[in-house]
Amino acid sequence: MMGRRKARAWMLGGAVVLGCSGGGGGNDDATAATEGTGVATDAATTAPTTSEGTGEDPTEGEPADCEGPLDPGPAPLRRLTHSQYNNTVRDLFPGVTLPLQTIAVDPKVNGFENNADVQTPSALLIEQYQRAALEVTKAAWASPEAFLPCAADGGGEPQQCGHTFLLDLGARAFRRPLTADEEAAFLGFFDQQLAETNFTVALQLTVQAVLQSPAFLYFLEFGGEPIEGGEAVALTGHELAARLSYFLWDSMPDAQLLAAATAGDLDTVEGLAAEALRMLDDGKARGALVNFHRQWFDFDGVALINPDPATYPTYTPELRTAMRAELDRFVESTLFDGPGTFASLLTSTATDVEATLAALYGVDAPPPGEWAPVSLDPGERSGILTRAGFLARTAHAVHPSPVKRGVFVLARLLCVPPAPPPANVNTNPPDEGEPGQPKTNRERYAKHTAQADCASCHVTIDGVGFGFENYDALGRWRDLDNGEPVDASGALIGTDVDGSFDGAIELSQKLATSTQAHDCVVSQVYRYALGRGTTAADLCSLGDLRAQFAEASGDVHALLLAVVTSDAFRTRKGAP
Amino acid sequence: MTASHPRMPRLRRRSFLGGLGLGIGALCLPSLLPRGARAEPPGPVKRLLMLMTEHGTVYQNWRMRPGNLPEDTDWETPLGALGESDFSEILRPLHGYRDRLLVLDGVGMATGHMTGINEHEEGHATCLTGTLAQPVDGGVALAAGPSIDQIVAGAVAEPGQIASLQISHGSWAYSYDPSGKALPWITEPWQLYQKLFPNGPVDPNAPPDDLKTIRDRQGSVVSLVREQYHALAPKLSGEDKLKVEQHRDLLHSLGQQLENLANIVCEAPPEPGGGPPWEDPQFYFHRAQVFTTLATLALSCDMTRVAMLAFSGLRNEHVSAPPGDLHNDYAHQASTDPTAMQVMTNYHKIHAEDFKNILAALDAVPSESGTLLDDTLVVWANELCTGEHSMNQWPVVMAGGTHHFKTGRYVRWAQNNIIKGTWGDEPQGPPHNRLLVSIARAMGADVDQVGETSVTLKGDSQLPTTGELDRLT
């Protein structure tokens, strides 16, 4: 087992390699969209609030002694997310088209849908798994020749064919070979059903059982070798392969990864990193990394925008769909075909547009129904915070919301979520248009900072949010608001890049250089990778990863590699 | 049913159902009568249907003060004597059901004043659990115990039934499991349909095929899977073990449910179509009607005895609102700004119509002791008390359940308990925990507390929150 220092030393080398390969520019290959994100039954994104979090970050502050015994932090039992379920059954039956299955989305924590603490089983969920298993096998058996090692009716040796198929499928579904008990249970069940029905029925029923089993739905980790000097145990190769593939692919390990696990290749940092690098080159990594950003930046919220038609007569559902799709494309092309850094997500002017978005951004439109790469006006756009989808999601029906925009930046990009407003506070800005009343959106919101009990938080929130006043509720650029010149000056307070700025472009550029923002990215990726919140026990791990991310100049792939080779990712505390 | 109740003519139900585009109106009404294979227990079956809505209410336009009855004493007034114009603007749509209503004015959500977090989170977590909200770092607060629908489900659901239905237009949870974790919900009409009728409309003349054989044998699949969870549980500890045991036990219930649903005679209507697109204002009404109809069907066929309907998603065009954000620009000043007050009054009137539609659907199903409405306690409540996030004077309307509560009344409690809240003193009536206890006991749950057992008053004395709420029966 490699120690922390050695792993980090390896990463320094790895980052250099990535730094060289991350360049490029064209996004000709930016057509793949996220796959298999499932159908949400949880619509928590409609939550009627503009605030989140408690204003506390348990991972702020100085770490304890990081040279002491290894503490990888908690490792609560995790379950497949709705998107992982759909991606996994897709990969279990290659060559077959499966309909997306409805699996309840677990409650979001920091935007992420994979937090183990709230992954509680419920009657609805258990029933959805049962129904999904039925639907998956039904759809798969429309073309059994794609995956069966024998004729659809079992051929001359139906029992043998069934056993062969089930042992192979079981090992892929459970991400490890079946135990002797499992083998006896599933093959015995198949034999019994075969005796009572027929090959097709017996096999489908047994596969349905596999798809509802704990070894499939849950990430069972018991660990292997104890780590010297601490409470932790190293994960087994197969357990690590599962963590790796669901982090980097949002789906099951492929044959090569399982073979690497069996061969013990994942027991070394070098072997683990080699597999991770291979996986990042696979198309599935694109969808998975976009899926991470979908949750982090709440792309789903775009689907719920409801602009006022009188104010925005050009708005159409098609534009909304395009705004949403652009965010996927932007993240993918920036991180896989572009510079690949967190900073570039905040500064890039490259994007993909179709006709409705081209009109919104004021660039040449591609032919109807097509998408094309364009370069946006650098005087108006800089990265994801200036893309229409983000701006429209953080607006009300008529006016943009400096509060939503400010809270998002503080909570999700700087990891300093503001506290919610106290009870019975009138959070409504005053009406416009009346004598003596404010004329611009900014003036309306300025009331927040004029009231002493609001000012303590809103000086900070609106200080960020006002920087976006050049964008209306659709995300269109504006120089005038209600006929008055836009004032988009703002200020960052309580950050490592404090000070005034003018507009979202300067704000984005400041964030792109902020160590605090980069440290926050590490926290978000870490939470997502481990499926849990961060605790004080994670300070050492986070400190290591933050240093590596900085040394890799904010290269996102380097950060992913640093995470998978970290102790926290490779080990867990003793018995579950 | 009560003698003076204006019984809905049968044709009315036909037209109501027929308007769904579901084709349910084509069903023969007798098929809606409970005729499950199970023998009915003595006495009427206990059922609970809850409608939860958002943004508190506009109290001035919700409350009733016939004859200028005073604010500072407890009183009640019969609803039967009130004309339609005597009803408050928001509750006016319910006038036709006045003899079946029990309107509760003045109950307080004291436990919502205790944690100091965002009141929307606080309200969702506490309104039906009576527990203190448990903040989640970076997420929506959870509760510390089960919600009333789950408590009731534990008392009335029989093996094989769907213990409870959670149906929602979206937003946050109202239902919490015994550990206070939020329960997921169904948001799509077709999901609800498939849950109730997993095999769709069955043609009894169709020859058996592989798919039917597979469906018939789901019980054995679930049984095999359950054994896997059973074998795994002893290898885990703590929360991990609890999850696996919970999963295992839910599989047991699912196995029984699969077997039982297959035996229930409940004519499956055609699957609901897609309905209007999201942009269309009819989107909301279509879903509300499908949810109402299918929930009624599930109750009438005794597939379930507990249903939770969470309705939200009304937009400016529904409530004649000028441009602006319903939540931030209107709900938050619904008590002070005249435009906001009217907008939010319109909003709550629509939900009153929703509640009326639920009552009409239940009342159109005959039962042995009247109609399904008599056998079902229907409760309309809210995540909050007012749009300004107040937790005082929770707007609650109960209906039906005529075997348990004395309906046809408007009951007012004076605000004489001064709660020591996080942000200051809050005058309230009785704590809502006691109403939850009353509902639980009426449904046969042998409990004396729901959630907290006391709250702190000004001066630091404790106000007990246990026992039934008086003046309901």
Side-chain angles (χ1 to χ4, degrees):
Chain A
M1 190 77 207
M2 182 178 283
R4 177 181 295 115
R5 197 163 289 123
K6 192 172 170 190
R8 183 171 164 189
W10 180 89
M11 265 314 302
L12 292 177
V16 172
V17 174
L18 284 159
C20 298
S21 63
N27 45 12
D28 300 338
D29 190 28
T31 52
T34 46
E35 290 178 275
T37 49
V39 179
T41 60
D42 172 341
T45 45
T46 61
T49 177
T50 58
S51 301
E52 63 179 68
T54 57
E56 296 168 9
D57 182 348
T59 62
E60 288 300 307
E62 290 301 311
D65 175 16
C66 293
E67 299 303 318
L70 175 68
D71 183 351
L77 180 61
R78 289 195 279 156
R79 177 167 35 75
L80 295 179
T81 65
H82 67 113
S83 69
Q84 289 169 345
Y85 181 95
N86 277 297
N87 291 343
T88 304
V89 293
R90 173 200 68 198
D91 293 342
L92 271 177
F93 295 97
V96 171
T97 304
L98 298 175
L100 279 185
Q101 298 302 315
T102 299
I103 305 291
V105 180
D106 290 304
K108 298 174 185 184
V109 179
N110 290 306
F112 300 126
E113 298 159 350
N114 68 345
N115 188 294
D117 290 339
V118 292
Q119 285 185 324
T120 313
S122 63
L124 179 62
L125 187 73
I126 270 58
E127 191 182 308
Q128 286 173 335
Y129 286 137
Q130 183 257 336
R131 180 154 310 135
L134 227 158
E135 295 297 323
V136 165
T137 53
K138 181 177 152 192
W141 257 263
S143 41
E145 67 283 356
F147 54 88
L148 273 187
C150 59
D153 65 356
E157 299 282 352
Q159 186 188 34
Q160 188 190 335
C161 176
H163 287 199
T164 303
F165 174 73
L166 286 168
L167 290 176
D168 174 69
L169 180 103
R172 292 191 296 125
F174 293 177
R175 310 171 282 271
R176 56 159 173 75
L178 271 60
T179 65
D181 285 348
E182 288 165 347
E183 191 173 319
F186 288 103
L187 298 188
F189 179 82
F190 169 75
D191 291 347
Q192 186 188 341
Q193 296 297 325
L194 183 62
E196 296 172 8
T197 63
N198 62 43
F199 177 79
T200 299
V201 169
L203 201 52
Q204 288 189 55
L205 289 171
T206 315
V207 171
Q208 288 160 9
V210 167
L211 295 181
Q212 296 173 72
S213 291
F216 176 69
L217 294 176
Y218 289 87
F219 297 106
L220 301 175
E221 295 173 344
F222 296 97
E225 295 299 311
I227 303 295
E228 200 175 328
E231 298 174 61
V233 296
L235 293 179
T236 69
H238 286 102
E239 290 164 355
L240 200 44
R243 276 199 187 187
L244 195 56
S245 69
Y246 283 94
F247 176 44
L248 296 182
W249 282 350
D250 208 40
S251 188
M252 59 180 274
D254 66 358
Q256 190 171 334
L257 180 58
L258 287 176
T262 305
D265 294 347
L266 305 183
D267 298 345
T268 66
V269 166
E270 292 81 0
L272 186 59
E275 273 302 302
L277 278 171
R278 175 183 75 83
M279 294 169 73
L280 285 171
D281 274 341
D282 188 288
K284 282 184 284 194
R286 291 172 173 251
L289 198 51
V290 168
N291 189 39
F292 164 75
H293 287 83
R294 171 183 70 81
Q295 296 168 59
W296 180 19
F297 282 87
D298 187 26
F299 291 177
D300 294 347
V302 179
L304 300 168
I305 65 168
N306 188 29
D308 174 53
T311 314
Y312 301 103
T314 59
Y315 169 77
T316 61
E318 290 71 30
L319 175 60
R320 183 182 68 215
T321 304
M323 285 177 177
R324 171 70 188 78
E326 185 207 359
L327 294 174
D328 282 357
R329 288 167 172 268
F330 175 69
V331 167
E332 184 183 335
S333 60
T334 304
L335 295 185
F336 285 90
D337 310 312
T341 60
F342 168 64
S344 62
L345 278 180
L346 293 169
T347 55
S348 173
T349 54
T351 198
D352 287 357
V353 297
E354 46 66 82
T356 59
L357 271 178
L360 187 148
Y361 287 130
V363 295
D364 292 339
E370 292 183 22
W371 287 77
V374 293
S375 190
L376 302 177
D377 181 349
E380 295 186 357
R381 307 285 166 174
S382 170
I384 194 164
L385 298 180
T386 61
R387 293 297 184 268
F390 172 80
L391 295 163
R393 188 193 76 69
T394 50
H396 298 305
V398 176
H399 299 295
S401 169
V403 175
K404 287 186 178 186
R405 292 167 175 181
V407 166
F408 182 91
V409 169
L410 291 168
R412 296 282 174 88
L413 292 185
L414 290 164
C415 286
V416 283
N424 300 334
V425 162
N426 182 357
T427 56
N428 178 62
D431 285 342
E432 60 185 313
E434 295 170 21
Q437 292 288 3
K439 290 179 179 169
T440 66
N441 193 46
R442 181 178 184 128
E443 288 171 6
R444 296 167 75 232
Y445 277 90
K447 188 178 180 188
H448 284 148
T449 45
Q451 296 174 347
D453 54 346
C454 303
S456 59
C457 291
H458 277 282
V459 165
T460 306
I461 295 170
D462 301 355
V464 175
F466 284 149
F468 295 94
E469 279 301 290
N470 277 122
Y471 309 96
D472 66 15
L474 270 195
R476 297 182 303 193
W477 177 267
R478 61 180 184 181
D479 292 309
L480 299 176
D481 176 15
N482 199 23
E484 302 288 319
V486 165
D487 175 2
S489 61
L492 281 158
I493 299 167
T495 73
D496 67 330
V497 284
D498 275 2
S500 60
F501 61 86
D502 188 15
I505 294 168
E506 276 188 32
L507 171 65
S508 294
Q509 287 165 350
K510 281 174 88 82
L511 293 171
T513 62
S514 160
T515 300
Q516 185 177 338
H518 281 77
D519 288 353
C520 182
V521 176
V522 173
S523 293
Q524 305 290 26
V525 171
Y526 189 85
R527 288 165 175 156
Y528 184 71
L530 297 176
R532 60 174 174 85
T534 39
T535 71
D538 297 308
L539 284 170
C540 293
S541 296
L542 287 168
D544 260 5
L545 293 169
R546 287 166 178 168
Q548 293 182 62
F549 193 37
E551 286 160 22
S553 303
D555 185 284
V556 173
H557 286 208
L559 174 60
L560 300 180
L561 274 177
V563 168
V564 302
T565 53
S566 69
D567 292 332
F569 195 84
R570 293 181 301 151
T571 66
R572 60 166 293 136
K573 278 187 181 172
Chain B
M1 63 182 286
T2 51
S4 63
H5 169 64
R7 166 83 75 130
M8 307 293 284
R10 288 287 171 258
L11 269 178
R12 180 74 179 274
R13 175 177 170 80
R14 284 285 188 133
S15 57
F16 169 68
L17 292 171
L20 298 184
L22 268 180
I24 290 184
L27 293 177
C28 298
L29 275 174
S31 72
L32 298 176
L33 276 167
R35 48 182 175 134
R38 193 181 317 106
E40 294 277 323
V45 174
K46 294 181 168 70
R47 299 180 175 88
L48 175 67
L49 193 159
M50 303 204 67
L51 171 66
M52 297 303 295
T53 56
E54 294 185 340
H55 296 308
T57 189
V58 180
Y59 182 69
Q60 297 96 316
N61 292 337
W62 180 89
R63 69 176 179 184
M64 295 193 232
R65 293 289 182 271
N68 286 323
L69 283 159
E71 298 291 326
D72 56 355
T73 59
D74 291 352
W75 49 262
E76 71 170 72
T77 190
L79 291 170
L82 298 182
E84 191 166 351
S85 61
D86 298 327
F87 261 54
S88 66
E89 185 175 358
I90 289 173
L91 297 181
R92 199 163 295 149
L94 300 172
H95 180 260
Y97 286 92
R98 58 195 177 282
D99 290 337
R100 315 284 278 279
L101 302 179
L102 181 54
V103 182
L104 309 182
D105 177 358
V107 173
M109 280 203 281
T111 49
H113 281 303
M114 302 290 152
T115 47
I117 60 173
N118 177 290
E119 291 83 16
H120 286 288
E121 291 186 55
E122 213 160 24
H124 275 264
T126 202
C127 68
L128 299 185
T129 70
T131 68
L132 301 184
Q134 308 292 305
V136 172
D137 187 28
V140 178
L142 299 174
S147 50
I148 185 64
D149 58 315
Q150 296 306 295
I151 294 169
V152 170
V156 302
E158 295 194 2
Q161 281 186 319
I162 297 167
S164 64
L165 285 173
Q166 282 76 42
I167 304 160
S168 174
H169 284 262
S171 191
W172 291 344
Y174 290 102
S175 296
Y176 297 86
D177 76 6
S179 67
K181 297 282 171 61
L183 291 174
W185 48 87
I186 290 170
T187 56
E188 297 297 334
W190 63 265
Q191 287 171 15
L192 178 57
Y193 178 87
Q194 286 195 354
K195 181 177 177 72
L196 299 176
F197 304 103
N199 301 331
V202 176
D203 178 0
N205 299 318
D209 59 6
D210 282 354
L211 191 55
K212 182 175 186 316
T213 310
I214 286 169
R215 282 179 169 154
D216 289 347
R217 287 174 177 256
Q218 286 301 297
S220 60
V221 174
V222 169
S223 179
L224 170 63
V225 173
R226 186 176 166 276
E227 286 166 20
Q228 302 293 311
Y229 287 86
H230 189 66
L232 172 64
K235 299 175 184 168
L236 303 174
S237 61
E239 287 284 320
D240 296 354
K241 183 178 189 179
L242 284 176
K243 272 186 197 172
V244 167
E245 288 176 340
Q246 204 173 340
H247 200 130
R248 175 197 67 197
D249 297 342
L250 289 164
L251 280 163
H252 180 67
S253 303
L254 175 62
Q256 291 180 314
Q257 183 183 310
L258 287 167
E259 187 178 344
N260 186 47
L261 284 187
N263 291 327
I264 283 185
V265 181
C266 193
E267 190 177 323
E271 187 164 350
W278 187 79
E279 288 74 25
D280 188 329
Q282 289 303 314
F283 175 82
Y284 171 84
F285 297 109
H286 172 261
R287 289 157 72 92
Q289 286 189 316
V290 173
F291 290 155
T292 297
T293 306
L294 291 180
T296 301
L297 205 55
L299 290 168
S300 74
C301 294
D302 213 18
M303 293 172 165
T304 188
R305 292 174 182 176
V306 177
M308 168 77 68
L309 299 175
F311 282 7
S312 61
L314 291 172
R315 301 195 298 251
N316 293 47
E317 59 265 38
H318 293 116
V319 294
S320 307
D325 183 67
L326 267 191
H327 175 220
N328 284 289
D329 296 343
Y330 295 112
H332 281 171
Q333 51 178 354
S335 302
T336 53
D337 176 82
T339 304
M341 187 180 289
Q342 190 56 56
V343 161
M344 294 312 294
T345 297
N346 296 344
Y347 178 99
H348 298 298
K349 274 160 69 179
I350 292 177
H351 287 320
E353 291 280 352
D354 291 331
F355 191 62
K356 183 186 79 172
N357 290 337
I358 290 168
L359 302 185
L362 292 168
D363 203 27
V365 181
S367 78
E368 289 170 16
S369 52
T371 73
L372 193 55
L373 181 54
D374 296 296
D375 299 344
T376 306
L377 176 62
V378 197
V379 182
W380 174 26
N382 203 294
E383 53 154 347
L384 294 168
C385 298
T386 68
E388 288 91 346
H389 296 193
S390 165
M391 296 288 176
N392 307 335
Q393 301 181 129
W394 197 28
V396 179
V397 182
M398 307 212 291
T402 48
H403 308 292
H404 309 296
F405 295 116
K406 190 176 161 198
T407 55
R409 296 182 303 144
Y410 185 102
V411 181
R412 163 72 186 173
W413 284 269
Q415 307 293 288
N416 292 334
N417 297 320
I418 311 301
I419 305 295
K420 183 182 180 183
T422 307
W423 309 106
D425 298 336
E426 305 283 350
Q428 293 199 338
H432 83 300
N433 306 65
R434 296 179 58 199
L435 171 59
L436 300 177
V437 170
S438 288
I439 293 171
R441 293 186 70 85
M443 295 286 108
D446 184 21
V447 298
D448 197 48
Q449 73 173 82
V450 174
E452 293 292 299
T453 56
S454 68
V455 290
T456 305
L457 293 171
K458 182 182 182 183
D460 290 329
S461 61
Q462 293 293 306
L463 174 68
T465 56
T466 57
E468 290 196 52
L469 182 60
D470 47 14
R471 305 175 62 204
L472 296 184
T473 54

